[in-house]
Amino acid sequence: MKQYLKIDEWKVIEDQFHPAYNEITESIFSLGNGRMGQRGSFEETYTGKTLQGNYVAGVYYPDKTRVGWWKNGYPEYFAKVLNAANWNGLSIQIGGVEIDLHTSEIHTFYRELNMKEGYILRNCEITLSNGKRLAIESIRLNSMADDESGVISYSITPLNFTEDIQVKAFIDGDIKNKDSNYDEKFWDEVKVGSNFVWSKTKKTGFEVITAQQIEIKANGQKVDAKATSTTREKYSELAYTLSAKQGEKLTLIKYAVNISSENHPTASFEKIASDYLARISTKGFDKMLQEQATAWATKWAINDIIISGDASAQQGIRFNIFQMNQTYTGEDDRLNIGPKGFTGEKYGGSTYWDTEAYCIPFYLGTAPAKVSKNLLIYRWKQLDRAIENAGKLGFNKGAALYPMVTMNGEECHNEWEITFEEIHRNGAIAYAIMDYVNYTDDRKHLVEYGWEVLVGIARFWAQRVNWSEDKQKYVMLGVTGPNEYENNVNNNWYTNYIATWCLKYTLEVYAEIQQNYPAEAAAKITSTAFAKEEVAQFQHIIENMYFPRDEKQGIYLQQDGFLDKVIAPVDTITAERPINQKWSWDRILRSCYIKQADVLQGIYFFEDDFSLEELERNYNFYEPITVHESSLSPCVHSILAAKLGKEDKSYEFYTRAARLDLDDYNNDTEDGCHITSMAGTWMSIIKGFGGMRLKDHTLHFNPFLPKQWNEFSFKINFRANQLNIAVKKSGVEITNLAGPELTVFVHGEARKLTKA
Ligand code: BGC
């Protein structure tokens, strides 16, 4: 745990340079606008610890997999979101010495991530090795209004000299992914010009042109500076000699664009890039900054959660909400949410079950329905690939197994215990359809998109189970549940439960679409070749599925034989944590320690199927043996603890989740931030402290106020309404901000909210 960043309700502040933590700060200070993003590295040369990372959404590379022993059915590649051309680049020399904070004496240093208005800012005063003392000020943003562009304003004020400064503003396309498996570079040059680098990915053939335009000002007045252009392979530079006077501020404004072949024809790439640059540079830096603030104000108007009396919690939740909005805006149904977003390279930047299980509820509550719908359509579009994927593993007749990790619908994870066994991900995809339809009431979605996905998933489960003569039940063998610290187990309770639920839900949807949309339903049932016998087959499995259980303790067993393990609470091994870094894999597998919610994930998803006593018994059994070594774990526990009235525990899990990256809780933030679990942090407040649930088209709230807070409030989009829920010491106030009259329940009592 590191607490070197300062607490502020709207900003993340580093008020003194911490070079040893620079890569952590770069992850935390990442910027993005859904279309492109980058780590918060310095613009000028920095020879200390750094990872320059620039990413263009949807642009990936199928890196060759690296496995010890090849197994049949392994995917050929591991898809990686590509580190792309660096458009920040500045190299600045004074008297032949390069500005580089690693080799300079630093007198003052301050940088902030301004979450309210969406930019990063840095001020520092340094002395170079030749004694030149200067002040640097920079502001950078990735524009929300013009989402293929970014801008930097970079100023230098000489403090003890008057002389020429050599400035090179460059674009560097000679970039390698840090996580490249064989140290390969994934980009080829197409062309370079005086202000652009145009590259193409090997194999996948994505093309991106990255271009810059420079403006120079002295004391705020535009200067007509002559640029010398130099190009070499994958590199383009504009060099200036600027006469700097002591005390006079020189400012370089760098406008940059990233135009991708995903969105534009390559035939007009150069023109599109130069027109885009002309348009944003005509707007100018100040206008772009102002538009950025406006775009963020619109987002905050519905996204913000206000906590009074706890600045650290306030900063934590805003950081999570900020990153979620930077990563995915819902504009494009080809895009999804990588576990690290635009903040790093780990996990390949691809789509996991995290999207459906964790992120969709966030976007349902904070954004128009279209945003979540686009995430569902992303999977619908990849259905053929999921069917192919199941086919590779020996399933047939339209059975679909969605990948654990994907960029384009193909599986690209290559550890057998995850690729072949962590099949519960299929269930989350079906669950998200139900979640979306129930929340938005867009029931037509079921016939338009939902049915096809559901029937593919249901068929997979129907083929994946087998009848056990011994048990006289259906069983599911050789799986990995959400708890990845167990592999190849039989009858993982969570997987059996969600599989059975998928079959039930598919049959419900089968009936509903025929009733509500008979003509469309008939066409879809025919096109999916769904046969009556499948109804009977699904029904038989639903009625005869096996669920491991311990009658004595009244708990569900994570899998067959779980109680053969030595069960000892996590606090007996405190010094040995995290176990994934301190223990052998063999020891982890044999131990009782659980990486993340597993049985409890199931009870959380399907809470109405279980009594409070059942929840309590299972929580009391599993929570003490859970190590939470996945960032997806604390939020589920926070919500369940809240439901059980364990308010302190709920709060403890919340703070851990909310400040996971800001405090580098798991010692891994330098690899990037835990973006998908940030949605879980939001859920801890809304579903945990706010106790919000949707039951039969009606919102229910069972809030409590953590004792560390004076009050908190959040807003929610629900169908045609927008509500503000304020939880105060004096009680719960709910205001209808937009939309028709609505009845909600607070602690079981109906409240009629008048029309807004
Ligand atoms: C978790 C998975 C998750 C993945 C990506 C892993 O550590 O165990 O459940 O999908 O991270 O966030």
Side-chain angles (χ1 to χ4, degrees):
M1 183 135 149
K2 302 176 189 71
Q3 286 177 320
Y4 66 99
L5 297 167
K6 295 285 161 290
I7 306 286
D8 180 282
E9 297 196 344
W10 278 109
K11 296 170 182 173
V12 181
I13 295 169
E14 187 192 25
D15 63 359
Q16 177 190 336
F17 188 37
H18 295 80
Y21 298 157
N22 191 43
E23 285 174 303
I24 302 170
T25 319
E26 287 177 345
S27 299
I28 293 172
F29 280 49
S30 292
L31 294 173
N33 59 22
R35 189 72 65 199
M36 58 187 253
Q38 56 179 182
R39 288 167 55 79
S41 315
F42 297 149
E43 292 82 13
E44 77 281 356
T45 302
Y46 182 67
T47 52
K49 262 175 85 154
T50 178
L51 170 64
Q52 278 282 354
N54 289 274
Y55 309 97
V56 181
V59 173
Y60 67 93
Y61 181 79
D63 198 11
K64 279 194 290 264
T65 51
R66 224 168 65 176
V67 286
W69 202 285
W70 190 265
K71 294 196 169 49
N72 236 355
Y74 269 170
E76 295 294 322
Y77 66 87
F78 191 96
K80 292 187 168 152
V81 160
L82 283 194
N83 199 342
N86 171 23
W87 59 265
N88 290 340
L90 291 178
S91 155
I92 307 164
Q93 290 196 356
I94 303 167
V97 174
E98 183 88 16
I99 298 186
D100 174 358
L101 263 61
H102 189 59
T103 56
S104 307
E105 189 186 343
I106 301 176
H107 307 291
T108 59
F109 181 94
Y110 173 91
R111 62 174 150 171
E112 75 176 40
L113 167 69
N114 187 313
M115 302 185 284
K116 189 169 189 183
E117 302 188 353
Y119 60 82
I120 50 179
L121 168 154
R122 177 166 51 115
N123 291 315
C124 55
E125 225 180 275
I126 58 171
T127 299
L128 305 184
S129 59
N130 56 5
K132 311 281 173 193
R133 186 168 176 140
L134 58 137
I136 300 174
E137 251 178 75
S138 80
I139 300 183
R140 184 160 101 223
L141 60 91
N142 281 225
S143 171
M144 280 279 177
D146 301 295
D147 65 5
E148 291 162 297
S149 73
V151 67
I152 302 166
S153 165
Y154 191 95
S155 304
I156 293 173
T157 310
L159 298 176
N160 65 354
F161 63 95
T162 292
E163 71 178 72
D164 285 354
I165 300 186
Q166 316 297 328
V167 180
K168 293 174 183 168
F170 62 86
I171 294 170
D172 181 10
D174 193 17
I175 300 295
K176 201 170 71 186
N177 266 55
K178 186 181 175 189
D179 65 349
S180 166
N181 276 344
Y182 294 90
D183 221 26
E184 280 175 90
K185 291 186 176 169
F186 304 141
W187 293 97
D188 283 331
E189 177 190 303
V190 177
K191 190 173 174 184
V192 292
S194 61
N195 73 333
F196 69 85
V197 173
W198 177 351
S199 324
K200 182 176 185 163
T201 59
K202 294 179 178 156
K203 293 189 190 163
T204 33
F206 293 108
E207 296 187 36
V208 176
I209 183 168
T210 305
Q212 62 173 351
Q213 184 168 321
I214 307 297
E215 191 180 293
I216 312 275
K217 290 182 178 171
N219 268 349
Q221 296 306 309
K222 261 195 199 167
V223 175
D224 201 9
K226 276 256 160 323
T228 316
S229 135
T230 307
T231 59
R232 55 172 191 264
E233 201 196 348
K234 301 183 185 173
Y235 178 90
S236 170
E237 161 192 306
L238 293 169
Y240 300 85
T241 300
L242 304 173
S243 57
K245 293 198 190 73
Q246 186 170 338
E248 187 177 283
K249 191 197 269 189
L250 268 180
T251 305
L252 179 142
I253 296 175
K254 186 184 220 200
Y255 301 94
V257 296
N258 263 324
I259 304 293
S260 148
S261 57
E262 282 292 87
N263 306 312
H264 299 281
T266 51
S268 1
F269 250 28
E270 287 174 56
K271 178 161 173 22
I272 294 168
S274 71
D275 288 353
Y276 209 120
L277 283 170
R279 185 165 63 77
I280 58 173
S281 60
T282 306
K283 261 187 199 176
F285 175 78
D286 292 343
K287 182 90 192 296
M288 286 182 81
L289 190 62
Q290 186 198 328
E291 285 183 354
Q292 183 78 344
T294 310
W296 274 101
T298 312
K299 294 220 179 268
W300 285 117
I302 177 69
N303 274 260
D304 198 17
I305 293 179
I306 301 170
I307 298 170
S308 127
D310 187 342
S312 149
Q314 176 69 80
Q315 182 186 44
I317 192 63
R318 287 203 172 121
F319 180 69
N320 288 266
I321 296 169
F322 179 71
Q323 290 294 358
M324 289 303 292
N325 280 287
Q326 291 207 108
T327 308
Y328 184 75
T329 58
E331 298 294 327
D332 189 334
D333 65 22
R334 297 165 304 169
L335 301 179
N336 211 287
I337 307 145
K340 299 279 170 213
F342 298 119
T343 69
E345 294 168 18
K346 204 176 166 201
Y347 290 112
S350 318
T351 309
Y352 285 65
W353 73 302
D354 306 28
T355 293
E356 285 78 14
Y358 293 84
C359 300
I360 289 216
F362 170 81
Y363 293 111
L364 280 174
T366 58
K370 182 187 106 193
V371 173
S372 316
K373 191 178 177 94
N374 275 345
L375 289 169
L376 300 188
I377 291 179
Y378 173 94
R379 295 288 196 178
W380 174 80
K381 285 186 165 173
Q382 297 183 349
L383 177 60
D384 288 347
R385 290 279 171 88
I387 293 174
E388 247 173 59
N389 186 39
K392 283 185 200 156
L393 306 189
F395 299 90
N396 54 27
K397 298 197 180 115
L401 175 61
Y402 278 93
M404 185 64 187
V405 181
T406 193
M407 280 306 307
N408 64 358
E410 283 174 318
E411 176 63 79
C412 55
H413 197 291
N414 47 45
E415 285 167 40
W416 62 268
E417 57 274 35
I418 293 183
T419 312
F420 305 144
E421 296 206 329
E422 211 175 328
I423 51 179
H424 68 81
R425 73 246 186 180
N426 240 17
I429 291 163
Y431 186 87
I433 294 175
M434 183 271 295
D435 211 10
Y436 165 80
V437 170
N438 286 356
Y439 197 84
T440 60
D441 209 27
D442 173 12
R443 305 212 74 84
K444 193 142 200 229
H445 181 86
L446 291 174
V447 72
E448 285 174 333
Y449 303 99
W451 167 255
E452 288 159 309
V453 173
L454 290 171
V455 79
I457 289 175
R459 282 169 166 160
F460 171 79
W461 293 126
Q463 293 175 34
R464 185 61 170 74
V465 296
N466 67 275
W467 179 254
S468 156
E469 276 305 325
D470 180 46
K471 293 192 163 70
Q472 289 293 298
K473 290 274 184 194
Y474 286 97
V475 292
M476 193 145 22
L477 308 180
V479 307
T480 297
N483 169 24
E484 291 176 342
Y485 289 176
E486 297 273 4
N487 303 141
N488 205 42
V489 300
N490 293 338
N491 294 311
N492 169 254
W493 180 85
Y494 173 80
T495 309
N496 285 15
Y497 203 87
I498 202 160
T500 311
W501 173 82
C502 286
L503 294 167
K504 271 192 227 160
Y505 185 59
T506 304
L507 292 184
E508 274 168 41
V509 169
Y510 178 61
E512 179 178 331
I513 58 173
Q514 290 183 90
Q515 163 116 36
N516 294 349
Y517 309 98
E520 291 101 319
K524 285 285 164 83
I525 290 165
T526 308
S527 68
T528 50
F530 188 68
K532 283 255 156 53
E533 304 78 75
E534 289 180 273
V535 175
Q537 183 201 13
F538 290 4
Q539 200 57 47
H540 197 251
I541 299 170
I542 293 166
E543 285 161 18
N544 294 284
M545 183 68 112
Y546 170 72
F547 297 106
R549 196 183 147 78
D550 177 53
E551 295 301 340
K552 254 200 278 162
Q553 299 181 73
I555 56 168
Y556 299 105
L557 288 185
Q558 190 177 273
Q559 73 251 1
D560 283 353
F562 191 80
L563 289 182
D564 291 339
K565 288 169 183 280
V566 177
I567 309 280
V570 166
D571 49 26
T572 57
I573 54 157
T574 312
E576 293 158 79
R577 291 172 64 195
I579 58 173
N580 66 17
Q581 286 167 27
K582 306 251 169 94
W583 282 10
S584 70
W585 190 239
D586 161 71
R587 195 169 170 201
I588 291 176
L589 290 175
R590 285 185 288 112
S591 83
C592 69
Y593 300 116
I594 299 174
K595 183 180 182 189
Q596 66 201 92
D598 193 299
V599 167
L600 295 181
Q601 179 80 32
I603 298 184
Y604 156 70
F605 266 169
F606 303 107
E607 61 174 356
D608 292 338
D609 297 356
F610 307 96
S611 68
L612 208 57
E613 293 71 35
E614 269 178 301
L615 164 61
E616 182 146 39
R617 285 196 299 270
N618 283 280
Y619 179 94
N620 289 344
F621 180 77
Y622 286 109
E623 192 280 318
I625 53 173
T626 303
V627 286
H628 306 290
E629 288 176 15
S630 159
S631 63
L632 300 176
S633 192
C635 59
V636 173
H637 287 81
S638 171
I639 296 169
L640 294 179
K643 184 165 176 180
L644 289 170
K646 298 177 191 289
E647 297 180 2
D648 289 344
K649 263 282 172 195
S650 175
Y651 184 78
E652 184 189 316
F653 282 123
Y654 163 77
T655 35
R656 178 164 171 173
R659 298 197 56 88
L660 181 75
D661 290 311
L662 289 176
D663 296 340
D664 193 19
Y665 211 98
N666 284 355
N667 260 326
D668 60 357
T669 301
E670 65 180 38
D671 296 334
C673 296
H674 300 80
I675 299 294
T676 46
S677 66
M678 293 184 179
T681 312
W682 178 89
M683 287 200 282
S684 304
I685 294 196
I686 291 6
K687 298 189 179 193
F689 307 166
M692 185 179 102
R693 299 290 189 277
L694 176 65
K695 288 189 179 147
D696 206 12
H697 302 276
T698 307
L699 287 177
H700 292 248
F701 299 90
N702 280 305
F704 78 89
L705 181 63
K707 60 175 181 281
Q708 292 79 353
W709 298 357
N710 295 332
E711 62 179 73
F712 72 98
S713 69
F714 58 93
K715 296 192 179 67
I716 227 56
N717 252 336
F718 176 63
R719 303 187 184 177
N721 291 91
Q722 215 174 77
L723 308 180
N724 186 64
I725 296 91
V727 182
K728 303 184 174 182
K729 290 198 169 118
S730 55
V732 181
E733 288 167 17
I734 305 195
T735 324
N736 188 11
L737 301 174
E741 183 183 284
L742 183 78
T743 298
V744 300
F745 283 77
V746 179
H747 293 303
E749 278 184 22
R751 275 200 203 174
K752 194 175 269 179
L753 308 176
T754 50
K755 185 170 173 291

